[in-house]
């Protein structure tokens, strides 16, 4: 029985040893392949982005009929009126049906023209389904609204200050309790605004 036990232990040890080596080789090969796949995917994605930017630049130059290096809304709209151009533009994963919105999003300074870099970066940022352009439109509208709100708050603050200076407030700068009135800051003015 002793030799039988030793032989069984030997077989058990050798089978697990060989299996461990074989599994190690499989894992190592899978790791190498995975690393190569990751590099390949990264390289492919970078090439796709470069090709996308090149295609958008080509589109921009074709649409820029006056050759100024900027694209006006009129040029953009005229170029997009052709059916083939619309199909080509949709191949960029951009929604043609909202061309005016797209142009507004690209024209950050509201000058009614867009430079090539602004155009390419904006199109790459908005690439995707219509949801992407909708989210960007919301961001655009929010930024405009914030700007208008700040301007209004500054206007209200100036008006409060003018009222205070002219002494229209009860007792020439005195409140009902007899304390001096202090010019409100921009943040204090925001508290005084009616809430909706």
């Amino acid at each position: 029985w002793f030799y039988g036990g030793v032989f069984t232990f030997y077989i058990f040890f050798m089978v697990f040893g060989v299996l461990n080596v074989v599994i190690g080789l499989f894992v190592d090969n899978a790791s190498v392949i995975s690393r190569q796949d990751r590099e390949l995917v990264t390289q492919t994605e970078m090439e796709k982005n470069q090709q996308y930017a090149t295609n958008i630049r080509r589109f921009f130059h074709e649409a820029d009929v006056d050759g100024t290096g900027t694209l006006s809304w009129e040029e953009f709209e005229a170029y997009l009126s052709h059916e083939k151009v619309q199909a080509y533009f949709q191949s960029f994963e951009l929604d043609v049906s909202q061309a005016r919105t797209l142009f507004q999003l690209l024209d950050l300074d509201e000058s009614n023209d867009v430079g090539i870099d602004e155009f390419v970066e904006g199109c790459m940022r908005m690439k995707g389904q219509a949801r992407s352009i909708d989210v960007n439109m919301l961001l655009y509208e929010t930024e405009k609204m914030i700007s208008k709100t700040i301007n209004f708050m500054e206007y209200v603050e100036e008006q409060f200050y003018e009222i205070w200076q002219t002494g229209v407030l009860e007792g020439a700068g005195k409140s009902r309790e007899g304390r001096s009135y202090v010019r409100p800051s921009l943040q204090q003015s925001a508290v005084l605004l009616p809430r909706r």
Side-chain angles (χ1 to χ4, degrees):
W1 293 104
F2 175 72
Y3 291 115
V6 170
F7 182 70
T8 304
F9 176 75
Y10 173 75
I11 296 294
F12 180 77
F13 181 76
M14 291 306 291
V15 167
F16 277 107
V18 168
L19 279 177
N20 196 16
V21 169
V22 170
I23 290 172
L25 287 172
F26 276 118
V27 168
D28 187 47
N29 285 338
S31 172
V32 168
I33 290 170
S34 171
R35 197 175 317 117
Q36 288 174 347
D37 276 352
R38 192 176 313 131
E39 291 170 5
L40 181 64
V41 166
T42 304
Q43 183 66 28
T44 303
E45 195 61 33
M46 288 172 62
E47 287 172 3
K48 275 175 37 180
N49 284 341
Q50 288 174 348
Q51 185 62 40
Y52 185 83
T54 302
N55 290 339
I56 288 184
R57 284 181 192 279
R58 185 179 310 122
F59 177 90
F60 180 91
H61 288 300
E62 290 169 1
D64 183 23
V65 290
D66 61 3
T68 58
T70 59
L71 190 62
S72 69
W73 164 242
E74 292 76 20
E75 289 174 317
F76 188 64
E77 185 180 33
Y79 192 63
L80 278 178
S81 65
H82 306 290
E83 232 176 275
K84 286 184 180 180
V85 174
Q86 288 178 7
Y88 182 59
F89 195 68
Q90 291 224 281
S91 74
F92 297 144
E93 299 175 47
L94 295 167
D95 190 5
V96 178
S97 66
Q98 298 181 1
R100 182 66 181 166
T101 303
L102 174 66
F103 190 83
Q104 285 176 336
L105 290 171
L106 297 175
D107 185 20
L108 297 176
D109 58 357
E110 297 181 359
S111 61
N112 199 36
D113 60 1
V114 179
I116 186 165
D117 292 331
E118 210 175 5
F119 187 78
V120 172
E121 288 172 18
C123 287
M124 291 191 76
R125 192 176 62 242
M126 287 180 263
K127 179 171 73 164
Q129 300 298 324
R131 288 170 297 203
S132 177
I133 196 167
D134 292 337
V135 169
N136 279 287
M137 188 62 193
L138 286 174
L139 289 172
Y140 170 77
E141 291 296 331
T142 303
E143 287 175 4
K144 280 180 67 174
M145 196 173 294
I146 287 171
S147 174
K148 286 181 181 181
T149 304
I150 288 173
N151 290 338
F152 177 72
M153 289 172 64
E154 289 171 351
Y155 171 77
V156 169
E157 182 180 355
E158 289 171 12
Q159 294 303 309
F160 280 150
Y161 185 67
E162 285 179 22
I163 292 171
W164 177 75
Q165 276 187 327
T166 58
V168 172
L169 288 178
E170 299 173 28
K174 300 264 185 189
S175 69
R176 286 187 202 153
E177 294 82 25
R179 289 183 293 226
S180 295
Y181 178 75
V182 180
R183 177 182 179 187
S185 68
L186 186 60
Q187 288 80 17
Q188 291 167 333
S189 298
V191 173
L192 299 173
L193 295 175
R195 294 175 191 237
R196 293 182 183 204

